[in-house]
Amino acid sequence: MAQVIGLAVLNLVLIVGLAPLAEGVMRRIRAIVHSRKGPPLIQPYLDIMKLLAKEDLVPEAGMVWQIGPTLCLGAVLMAALLTPLGTPPPLAFAGDAIVFIYFVALAGVAIILGGFASGNPYAYVGASREMMMIFSVEPVVAIALVTAAVKAGSLSFPEMMESYAAAGPSVSMVFAGVAFLLALQAQVGKLPFDIAEADQEIMEGPFIERSGPGLALFKMASYAKMLIFGSILVQIFVPLPRSGLWPVDLVVNFALVGVLVVVVGLVNAVNPRLRIDQSMSYFSRIVVFVAVAGLVFASIGA
Amino acid sequence: MTPVQAVMHAVVLLVLGAVVTAVVSRSRSTCAYLALLFVAAASALALWGGAVRLLSSELAPAPATVAAVSGIGASLTLAVDRFSGFFLLIIGVIAFLSTLYSTSYMRIYQREHPARFYPILLLFFAGIIGVVTVRDWFFFLVFWEFMTICSYFLVIYDKENPSVLRAGFKYIVVTHVATILILIAAVVLWHTAEPHSFSFAASAQAMGKLAETTPIALHVLLALWLIGFATKAGILPFGDWLPDAYPAAPSGASAAFAGTMTNLGVYGLLRIFVDLLPGSQFSTVWGVAIALLGTGSIFVATLASLSQGNAKRLISFCIIGQMGYVFLAIGMGAYFMSSNPTLALVGLLAGLFHLMNGVFYKSLLFFTTGSLRYRTGVGDLGMMGGLARLLPVTALMAGIGALSISGMPPFNGFSSKWLIYQVSVIGGIGFPLFLLFGLTAMFISLVTLAALFKYLGAAFLGQPSQHVAHLTEKRNDVPASMQVPQVILGLCCVAFGLFPMLPLTAVYRAVTPLTTALSGTTLSGALGTSALGLTFTADGAAAGVWHPLASTVALGICMAISYGIARMAQAPSRVVPVWYCGVDLPQRLGHFHAHGFYEPFRRAFERVYVTTGTPKTAYPTTLAKIFDVDAWLYGPLVKAGSRVAERFSRSHVGIPQWYLVWQVVGMVLVLAVLFSVMR
């Protein structure tokens, strides 16, 4: 029990604490690509602190509106508790890969319902797009994780990690990992897939009416997703040798996630935004050619 | 009182109630409250009978024969085994709640007579109770037909509306084709049985005999049964009547249909494929077929629901999708019956648990659409908006129902879908088709979510449309008799999500006595020993875990942390008008029309479910020509007659000299004839 609580606190502190830093790195990369100097690395921390202190403007005094940001960050933190960070996931006894997928979807639910509740037509457009992005991306994530589950014969994250470390690299897992990597950009809402927010056309979409602490929570949730999905990619789809010492595994994990942050940041800096239909056809191709291919290889044992 | 006696009393009470309510139907409220009284008593009896049987250790109760038609080997034999008991529990709950709901809801039909609703509703429940307790195909079909006819009259209750009559016609034609298929199968088995008998026990023996002598005949029979029961369950492509018929019926009746009648398709399916059919290669083959049908329905119906503009129609399509999940799980269970008892058990458990959860959220969602109609008078999503201000409790319950039906943790739909995914992934290792089915089911649960978001977003949230704007100014939720059923079902959705082990134990007790294939399995062996969490164990290794209570508590703590972060700086808050980018827009222009939801996605999938109108039966053209006497007899006769008359009329020129000439000529002619004759 003490171990579970200790691990849980560690996961939450690391995810909440490091997520804005990852965002800061991405902003700096964007600035470098643009030949700008860019903000300091700690700028996202300052943004969040500023937002937390600012006045909260409420267009609709409904319950759904009020609960939106809390539920969104809560669900993301819950997903963080199911995520292995080199250490075993603290809530491994309470949920497996499917539960993880659905808690991530629950964060999307909070964004969408919060958008609807604002009563702003731009929020409706954004929420509708957010739903379509979930349609496009979640199947890729689900197929990749199911591929890992088929290889391991189990849906729980620790079993998947152990089994992959024991069995060594395989064709199916490479396909699944590539599919997951290709979906990562959209999971964290970065260009070319920040279609739901699209600040230049629909003004942050579902967040258009948000200000102050509510907006801060949504931003924290969005930053945290980068670390969560990065860690899942590193832990489940990369056959890492385990040192046996958890601090070492933890550092290795975050070093590799850092590499992913740089990659995502670069892609974010050099791409224009896609339209929603383009992104849907892009992901349908990934589903068919990469993710399903991985699954087929896994079912024939490769 | 034994469970069988309780059930018989319930049926008698319902029939008696139908007579009494028909007699007093002059007064609307007396009729409604008397109907409620009778249904309450019958429900209590059904619940008591079901609960006693589920809790007792007696596995195979002796059937009680009430009447016999000895000439054809049919007998009215009743028995309540645990599986029937499980369905009696569901029927008892839904019958009472939907009647309670109807007592207020039916006030919106001021022009229709209540005698066309309550007596028929009571008879409908009597038919359903009969279907799940009878042990003889002949009387099974009698009750089945009785239930179908009653439901037809409930569907066409709003008879002034031509689209309702069309839906009712489609419903009765399609379901009767299905009944005929079941009848054919039953008669063939009757013929095979020695001596000829309609009883279930004789059918089981006859099936065993056919399996050895003519397996192809048994395959055909199983196909007939599958199509027949799938039609009743609303599985596509056979269940195409459902999205027309459910929206047509009054909401209380729609909820009763969704909660009881469609599930009887699953009841029949399990009776045939698990209870009567011995676990063999037949269940393996037909398990795949059932799972395939289920997955097809999940995919097609749920995608079709995205494009619906009417609230009840949207939910009807989602219901077909949910029935698809049940079929998928049962199909997988049947597939593994002869090879892997653990997976078979979990598959069947998942299917029946999902069915049970479906009863709650499907009925709940129909109740909420009825409440919207009751207060606003509209059913089109595009004409609603912002109604959470008018109906806050209904909106909350619709939210719970939406999250349950789309399988969001920690609501009940997630627990049962989680089991279905486990079986499909772990079972899919040996049979990869199930992986595909399971992934489709996972993807479509998100589409269900999107469809229900369309419902929530267009009806309850956002800005009101001009049709309902005047209503949203003050809170005016529906009366208590409509509120209570909604709240009870909503609480059931939450409770069964948080404590899935309790309903799963009931389902386990209901399903294991059906077949010997499951006799070596235990609930704790498949789903862990914990009373709160589920640990799915396949082949001795833990394959997946879901601990709803721990997860919910953890989610609560995470949300508390988030709330703490938000309140850290004690930021003040202020109510402001909605910001339309600086433009001063009137409220009605801020209304986002429901038809705009998910446009690109819908366009990508619009070919999946093509709505064709009801096919017009073409009248044979030759027959038309023969019956068209005007065209070939009277028409030409009249034409010829008038032509002759015209010729004659030309001779009437009005000049006297000409008439004298005619007379002279005529006289000469007459004389000439006379002379020639007399000579």
Side-chain angles (χ1 to χ4, degrees):
Chain A
M1 192 66 192
Q3 194 200 2
V4 167
I5 293 173
L7 279 174
V9 172
L10 180 75
N11 266 31
L12 290 183
V13 168
L14 282 175
I15 296 282
V16 173
L18 289 179
L21 182 66
E23 175 70 13
V25 171
M26 280 194 259
R27 283 194 202 172
R28 181 59 74 78
I29 291 170
R30 194 175 168 80
I32 293 169
V33 171
H34 290 178
S35 312
R36 288 189 280 121
K37 185 153 175 280
L41 283 179
I42 59 159
Q43 186 63 44
Y45 293 97
L46 303 176
D47 288 354
I48 285 175
M49 279 196 274
K50 179 191 75 180
L51 282 174
L52 284 176
K54 287 199 83 147
E55 193 180 29
D56 198 1
L57 302 180
V58 182
E60 288 266 338
M63 196 183 71
V64 181
W65 165 268
Q66 297 290 352
I67 206 170
T70 321
L71 180 61
C72 182
L73 185 59
V76 167
L77 293 183
M78 181 63 206
L81 290 179
L82 295 169
T83 308
L85 301 174
T87 53
L91 287 191
F93 71 93
D96 53 16
I98 291 173
V99 178
F100 172 82
I101 292 173
Y102 275 85
F103 271 109
V104 173
L106 189 62
V109 168
I111 293 176
I112 293 165
L113 279 183
F116 284 159
S118 72
N120 191 308
Y122 289 100
Y124 267 74
V125 176
S128 175
R129 288 184 183 186
E130 174 79 28
M131 192 73 235
M132 283 185 278
M133 284 310 289
I134 293 180
F135 285 154
S136 326
V137 183
E138 292 292 330
V140 182
V141 174
I143 296 174
L145 287 176
V146 164
T147 309
V150 168
K151 291 298 285 180
S154 168
L155 276 155
S156 78
F157 282 142
E159 300 269 338
M160 288 185 198
M161 287 154 63
E162 258 174 50
S163 141
Y164 196 25
S170 62
V171 182
S172 52
M173 287 300 273
V174 171
F175 270 96
V178 168
F180 198 94
L181 178 66
L182 291 173
L184 184 64
Q185 198 80 17
Q187 280 286 3
V188 299
K190 290 292 172 193
L191 278 170
F193 300 112
D194 67 336
I195 302 165
E197 286 92 45
D199 36 6
Q200 294 91 339
E201 40 178 306
I202 53 171
M203 287 147 288
E204 297 276 336
F207 310 130
I208 183 171
E209 292 286 342
R210 296 284 174 185
S211 56
L215 186 60
L217 292 198
F218 278 123
K219 282 204 180 300
M220 286 169 77
S222 150
Y223 300 160
K225 273 190 197 166
M226 177 68 225
L227 294 191
I228 292 171
F229 280 97
S231 298
I232 292 281
L233 178 57
V234 168
Q235 294 296 322
I236 305 290
F237 297 103
V238 180
L240 286 177
R242 307 280 159 192
S243 67
L245 279 173
W246 65 264
V248 180
D249 286 341
L250 200 66
V251 172
V252 170
N253 178 60
F254 276 101
L256 288 174
V257 171
V259 175
L260 285 175
V261 168
V262 174
V263 172
V264 169
L266 272 175
V267 175
N268 176 49
V270 297
N271 272 291
R273 182 177 309 121
L274 290 176
R275 279 198 321 267
I276 187 81
D277 55 327
Q278 291 167 330
S279 120
M280 283 190 328
S281 64
Y282 172 79
F283 280 106
S284 65
R285 277 198 292 273
I286 292 185
V287 166
V288 174
F289 293 117
V290 188
V292 170
L295 196 59
V296 169
F297 278 119
S299 356
I300 59 172
Chain B
M1 190 163 54
T2 63
V4 174
Q5 284 169 333
V7 165
M8 284 186 334
H9 285 124
V11 172
V12 169
L13 263 180
L14 286 170
V15 174
L16 191 68
V19 174
V20 171
T21 47
V23 168
V24 301
S25 62
R26 184 163 293 184
S27 155
R28 251 165 221 281
S29 53
T30 317
C31 184
Y33 292 124
L34 272 177
L36 181 62
L37 197 68
F38 277 104
V39 171
S43 287
L45 284 170
L47 285 174
W48 189 81
V52 164
R53 179 54 71 216
L54 268 182
L55 294 175
S56 81
S57 54
E58 195 184 354
L59 289 184
T65 303
V66 180
V69 190
S70 51
I72 55 166
S75 62
L76 180 51
T77 307
L78 299 178
V80 180
D81 64 357
R82 285 193 191 158
F83 187 57
S84 304
F86 174 73
F87 277 86
L88 282 176
L89 287 184
I90 291 175
I91 294 165
V93 171
I94 295 301
F96 175 69
L97 292 181
S98 55
T99 315
L100 176 61
Y101 184 87
S102 299
T103 51
S104 290
Y105 179 73
M106 294 311 286
R107 281 187 209 136
I108 65 170
Y109 296 99
Q110 279 303 335
R111 282 193 308 184
E112 304 295 338
H113 200 274
R116 293 185 47 242
F117 185 76
Y118 292 106
I120 296 176
L121 188 71
L122 265 58
L123 290 177
F124 168 74
F125 290 138
I128 286 182
I129 292 179
V131 167
V132 298
T133 46
V134 75
R135 284 292 171 282
D136 179 278
W137 285 116
F138 182 81
F139 283 97
F140 180 90
L141 283 165
V142 169
F143 280 114
W144 183 265
E145 197 48 36
F146 187 69
M147 165 186 88
T148 307
I149 302 276
C150 290
S151 61
Y152 167 72
F153 285 111
L154 293 174
V155 167
I156 60 158
Y157 182 71
D158 189 12
K159 64 179 189 316
E160 303 295 318
N161 188 340
S163 71
V164 165
L165 291 180
R166 260 203 311 280
F169 181 68
K170 188 171 173 184
Y171 170 60
I172 199 145
V173 170
V174 172
T175 46
H176 274 86
V177 172
T179 309
I180 289 170
L181 297 184
I182 300 176
L183 180 66
I184 293 172
V187 170
V188 171
L189 275 194
W190 171 83
H191 184 74
T192 316
E194 284 297 338
H196 297 330
S197 166
F198 276 111
S199 78
F200 280 12
S203 299
Q205 281 174 358
M207 281 210 254
K209 198 171 109 188
L210 275 182
E212 282 164 20
T213 54
T214 41
I216 188 76
L218 186 54
H219 277 298
V220 173
L221 287 189
L222 291 175
L224 291 178
W225 257 309
L226 178 56
I227 295 175
F229 288 127
T231 308
K232 201 63 178 179
I235 289 294
L236 292 179
F238 315 111
D240 198 40
W241 56 271
L242 196 151
D244 293 323
Y246 276 20
S251 285
S254 310
F257 293 168
T260 56
M261 190 174 61
T262 25
N263 298 332
L264 295 192
V266 176
Y267 172 84
L269 195 75
L270 279 171
R271 273 274 176 243
I272 291 293
F273 286 90
V274 180
D275 186 10
L276 301 183
L277 184 74
S280 57
Q281 82 274 19
F282 288 96
S283 47
T284 312
V285 172
W286 286 95
V288 178
I290 295 170
L292 184 67
L293 271 182
T295 313
S297 293
I298 294 175
F299 189 74
V300 175
T302 314
L303 283 171
S305 74
L306 279 184
S307 1
Q308 304 307 319
N310 180 296
K312 278 181 88 174
R313 213 172 142 76
L314 184 149
I315 290 168
S316 302
F317 272 107
C318 287
I319 282 177
I320 301 181
Q322 296 310 304
M323 204 38 103
Y325 280 89
V326 175
F327 266 57
L328 169 60
I330 288 175
M332 292 193 294
Y335 175 85
F336 287 113
M337 251 173 31
S338 49
S339 57
N340 189 333
T342 310
L343 284 175
L345 173 70
V346 179
L348 293 177
L349 284 183
L352 277 182
F353 186 31
H354 197 68
L355 177 111
M356 188 180 188
N357 291 333
V359 167
F360 298 128
Y361 52 66
K362 287 189 270 191
S363 303
L364 171 60
L365 287 170
F366 272 134
F367 284 155
T368 62
T369 59
S371 300
L372 287 174
R373 168 112 193 261
Y374 185 79
R375 273 288 178 250
T376 65
V378 294
D380 184 1
L381 286 172
M383 292 160 78
M384 301 181 186
L387 291 171
R389 268 169 281 176
L390 175 73
L391 308 155
V393 180
T394 304
L396 178 65
M397 292 305 142
I400 291 178
L403 292 177
S404 301
I405 195 173
S406 44
M408 275 290 140
F411 295 99
N412 62 357
F414 179 74
S415 291
S416 46
K417 282 185 185 172
W418 180 85
L419 284 172
I420 298 176
Y421 302 150
Q422 298 292 330
V423 180
S424 66
V425 172
I426 301 303
I429 295 174
F431 190 70
L433 194 59
F434 287 156
L435 283 177
L436 183 68
F437 290 173
L439 285 165
T440 310
M442 265 188 238
F443 169 59
I444 293 297
S445 76
L446 295 171
V447 180
T448 315
L449 183 69
L452 268 299
F453 274 180
K454 180 173 168 179
Y455 171 51
L456 293 182
F460 293 105
L461 303 173
Q463 302 294 354
S465 77
Q466 53 194 354
H467 304 277
V468 296
H470 61 286
L471 292 169
T472 54
E473 279 148 20
K474 67 174 176 36
R475 177 190 165 138
N476 183 14
D477 216 320
V478 289
S481 62
M482 292 167 76
Q483 203 66 267
V484 169
Q486 292 183 160
V487 173
I488 289 179
L489 290 175
L491 289 179
C492 285
C493 285
V494 175
F496 282 14
L498 288 180
F499 304 101
M501 233 12 184
L502 190 71
L504 275 172
T505 311
V507 175
Y508 173 77
R509 291 180 71 89
V511 81
T512 37
L514 285 183
T515 171
T516 50
L518 301 177
S519 53
T521 58
T522 57
L523 189 60
S524 57
L527 294 176
T529 48
S530 160
L532 295 172
L534 309 176
T535 307
F536 176 52
T537 315
D539 307 324
V545 281
W546 165 234
H547 198 300
L549 203 60
S551 302
T552 310
V553 168
L555 178 68
I557 293 173
C558 289
M559 285 176 67
I561 295 173
S562 310
Y563 187 74
I565 294 174
R567 299 307 309 154
M568 211 154 56
Q570 300 288 328
S573 89
R574 177 159 59 98
V575 175
V576 292
V578 175
W579 187 65
Y580 298 113
C581 303
V583 183
D584 192 12
L585 217 56
Q587 196 186 37
R588 65 185 171 79
L589 288 182
H591 173 72
F592 186 80
H593 201 276
H595 297 177
F597 281 71
Y598 324 124
E599 190 53 42
F601 186 78
R602 274 165 42 197
R603 229 178 293 138
F605 281 101
E606 74 188 349
R607 303 297 303 166
V608 166
Y609 183 86
V610 185
T611 9
T612 50
T614 323
K616 292 195 179 62
T617 37
Y619 197 62
T621 44
T622 45
L623 211 63
K625 275 182 194 156
I626 292 172
F627 281 120
D628 195 0
V629 190
D630 278 359
W632 60 266
L633 183 64
Y634 299 134
L637 267 183
V638 169
K639 238 184 229 167
S642 60
R643 221 179 294 136
V644 171
E646 202 182 319
R647 291 261 165 78
F648 272 110
S649 71
R650 271 195 214 142
S651 57
H652 292 276
V653 289
I655 300 167
Q657 290 89 331
W658 275 110
Y659 287 109
L660 288 173
V661 172
W662 285 127
Q663 278 179 6
V664 173
V665 171
M667 205 164 65
V668 170
L669 273 177
V670 169
L671 286 175
V673 170
L674 278 176
F675 274 123
S676 64
V677 172
M678 291 170 78
R679 192 164 44 100

